[in-house]
Amino acid sequence: MALSRGSRLLTWMAATAALLTGLTAQPASAVDSPTMTKLSLGADQFKLTDTSYVSATNKLYGTHLTDHADLTDVVTTDYTKNSSGATDPWLNLRSMRSCTGTETKALPPAGTTTAWCWSNSHTDDTNPHWWPQGLSTTGTADGSDGAIQGRHVAAVSWHYRTLSHETSEGCKTNNLLKLTLLDRDTGKYRHVLLAEPTSSGDDFSFVTGHGGGIVWYANYIYVTDTAHGIRVFDINKLAKVDTYGSGVSTYGIDGAGHSSACGYPYVLPEVHYYQQAGTPSDCSGATIDPEQLCFSWLSLDKTGGGPFKLVTGEWQGSVDGARVVRYQLNPASSATYPGLLNMSGGKTVIQDAYAASRYRGLQGGMTWTDAQGVLNFAFHKGCGTVPGVYSHTWVGDTRAATTCASGGNWAAGPPQALSYWPKLDATQVDELWGLTEGICAGSDLTAAHSEFLPASPVSDNDVCKGYTGTDNLSLRSVFAVGFNDPAVQNLH
């Protein structure tokens, strides 16, 4: 289905400007250094160059992945049998469910319009190998009615984690990435493999990375590659593979011309890869490289007039001053590179950049310009399995920041991405979406893998304290709260 472009985006901008009139900056109440400091960048600092996979993906899509699919296919087709015709429940559409018991601590202490936990019949809620990271939605992608291809869908990125005593091999490779497409109207979802075509377009491999941030804009899904830059996938290039099922551990095009995607029925190929010139000396969260950026999370900012901004930020767990950089995006209606990063002289154009001068451990964030022209920031800070932190700040804010040490103010889990969903069909919903990733490790997991042993001493407000069950306990949620709810925006 073709996208409706310019008129819908202009309508969204007008609606957003009206919404954010009430979310204006507040006067500083403490004499201290600012929470955010604007940076003066060098000529090419943090700029990215583009490696295009468009021709290769078009060849792959036109010659080998010829069973084309759309969002409706992915989120409504319930496979009960694998490609060999054998019954295979692993392939079924999966369903989000209500969070219960301790896992409700993974929901924020504010009124939720959506409060989901993942399927337990498929162990997406407690699987220690797969970890949910980034989240974006068709509400962000479109903004006029919150739909792409007629569907209201959230996208979540996951990375695969090899555990102690395990080695990476095939589809069990450390940091293998997949994408989940989740229908908000039904709660049904399906995993899709992200893929990179070979230069010839005659084969493809899986993509690896942490997947800490994603943004959905128009028909593109942007995914962070922590030490290098940002990958882009085209939702209009979704395809069904030939060989699929729980026992399939192959990927790409085999000698007989058959395609497979680590068992998943669908694959989403890459079309662009934006990379910085060098590699940071460290993205472990302990050291900030002054010349290179770590791409830890993403969000989309359509406020403040044109251009739209792709916002990326760093997770620095042991040091203050992580950078937040905003790259210019071309409108979806642009004659050249619609919906892609703006380029000048072969490099991306940066709108502005800031240092989170008095924050550390940021795992998700977003920006918006309010009716007074003040640039606002919101951040998610994870605190392990104790309550995390949601912070709303702005340029010029000098208040003391909420920290994990102060007890947090948000969900345990810890919280990850932030994404704004303005409209649902004709209804203005003004939702802030996020997710949590954690689990309480059961005794079977801690016995086999020492990295899941609890820290000593265990904090009294750790939601996993005292848990002695055999199985893992979920702290993984997907939630939406009111964006302009005082219980959200008044937090710091």
Side-chain angles (χ1 to χ4, degrees):
M1 181 181 295
L3 295 173
S4 178
R5 291 177 172 171
S7 61
R8 303 175 84 176
L9 296 170
L10 291 172
T11 301
W12 185 91
M13 289 176 67
T16 300
L19 159 72
L20 296 174
T21 299
L23 291 178
T24 55
Q26 304 169 30
S29 59
V31 179
D32 208 333
S33 59
T35 56
M36 305 299 300
T37 303
K38 189 170 185 179
L39 300 176
S40 296
L41 302 182
D44 290 328
Q45 191 176 7
F46 304 152
K47 290 185 178 179
L48 312 174
T49 57
D50 177 22
T51 299
S52 175
Y53 289 84
V54 172
S55 295
T57 289
N58 286 344
K59 170 75 176 300
L60 186 68
Y61 190 68
T63 304
H64 302 285
L65 299 175
T66 56
D67 193 352
H68 300 163
D70 58 20
L71 285 176
T72 297
D73 295 328
V74 174
V75 300
T76 65
T77 306
D78 195 8
Y79 295 95
T80 59
K81 297 182 178 181
N82 62 26
S83 55
S84 298
T87 299
D88 192 346
W90 182 81
L91 287 168
N92 296 165
L93 274 174
R94 306 181 183 192
S95 296
M96 302 299 285
R97 59 179 175 81
S98 298
C99 302
T100 61
T102 302
E103 65 186 356
T104 61
K105 300 294 184 181
L107 300 173
T112 54
T113 58
T114 297
W116 281 329
C117 282
W118 298 93
S119 169
N120 47 22
S121 60
H122 293 88
T123 70
D124 288 331
D125 56 343
T126 58
N127 191 316
H129 287 106
W130 284 107
W131 295 81
Q133 294 294 303
L135 179 146
S136 192
T137 74
T138 57
T140 308
D142 172 59
S144 177
D145 61 4
I148 292 289
Q149 298 179 11
R151 312 298 304 192
H152 305 121
V153 176
V156 175
S157 57
W158 304 63
H159 71 257
Y160 186 91
R161 177 182 176 186
T162 53
L163 308 181
S164 58
H165 316 302
E166 297 178 344
T167 57
S168 291
E169 182 180 7
C171 293
K172 294 183 178 180
T173 291
N174 197 48
N175 279 331
L176 176 76
L177 288 178
K178 68 180 179 183
L179 188 75
T180 299
L181 295 172
L182 163 59
D183 190 329
R184 73 165 288 167
D185 296 322
T186 65
K188 302 284 188 180
Y189 67 92
R190 181 174 293 287
H191 302 310
V192 173
L193 187 71
L194 297 177
E196 179 181 294
T198 57
S199 58
S200 67
D202 290 319
D203 201 357
F204 65 88
S205 181
F206 52 67
V207 172
T208 59
H210 193 75
I214 67 171
V215 153
W216 194 334
Y217 177 49
N219 55 299
Y220 294 118
I221 303 251
Y222 290 77
V223 181
T224 57
D225 185 352
T226 309
H228 304 291
I230 302 169
R231 298 178 183 269
V232 186
F233 303 83
D234 187 351
I235 205 73
N236 290 338
K237 294 293 189 291
L238 275 167
K240 183 184 174 185
V241 296
D242 300 314
T243 307
Y244 51 87
S246 58
V248 176
S249 58
T250 57
Y251 55 88
I253 311 297
D254 66 17
H258 298 142
S259 58
S260 59
C262 292
Y264 301 112
Y266 298 100
V267 66
L268 182 63
E270 184 174 17
V271 287
H272 292 273
Y273 188 9
Y274 297 100
Q275 295 172 274
Q276 60 184 338
T279 302
S281 57
D282 181 22
C283 283
S284 69
T287 305
I288 296 177
D289 185 327
E291 297 302 322
Q292 308 296 335
L293 192 67
C294 297
F295 297 81
S296 300
W297 49 263
L298 283 180
S299 62
L300 181 62
D301 186 346
K302 293 182 176 180
T303 65
F308 295 164
K309 279 76 66 176
L310 185 71
V311 186
T312 188
E314 296 180 303
W315 175 84
Q316 296 290 350
S318 303
V319 60
D320 294 345
R323 282 77 57 94
V324 176
V325 180
R326 306 199 302 164
Y327 294 91
Q328 291 185 4
L329 276 166
N330 289 317
S333 58
S334 176
T336 57
Y337 301 107
L340 294 168
L341 290 175
N342 186 17
M343 307 289 287
S344 177
K347 296 186 177 181
T348 55
V349 179
I350 293 177
Q351 178 75 12
D352 48 23
Y354 292 81
S357 305
R358 297 169 60 215
Y359 291 107
R360 64 180 60 183
L362 304 180
Q363 301 206 136
M366 62 180 294
T367 68
W368 69 94
T369 300
D370 63 30
Q372 294 178 345
V374 175
L375 181 60
N376 288 250
F377 298 79
F379 296 122
H380 261 166
K381 174 180 174 61
C383 304
T385 52
V386 301
V389 175
Y390 176 87
S391 290
H392 169 207
T393 187
W394 49 83
V395 173
D397 183 13
T398 60
R399 298 170 300 162
T402 302
T403 66
C404 294
S406 65
N409 60 19
W410 209 238
Q416 297 284 315
L418 287 169
S419 184
Y420 175 58
W421 193 318
K423 292 190 72 175
L424 189 63
D425 296 326
T427 303
Q428 193 82 28
V429 293
D430 302 324
E431 295 172 333
L432 179 65
W433 282 63
L435 79 163
T436 55
E437 66 167 338
I439 61 174
C440 296
S443 58
D444 284 351
L445 184 61
T446 57
H449 301 287
S450 59
E451 63 266 41
F452 289 98
L453 290 172
S456 181
V458 178
S459 170
D460 286 340
N461 62 347
D462 190 324
V463 298
C464 296
K465 183 178 182 179
Y467 180 65
T468 58
T470 301
D471 299 327
N472 302 331
L473 178 67
S474 173
L475 293 174
R476 293 176 177 167
S477 67
V478 173
F479 58 80
V481 297
F483 181 62
N484 52 356
D485 185 340
V488 177
Q489 293 297 348
N490 290 346
L491 296 178
H492 187 53

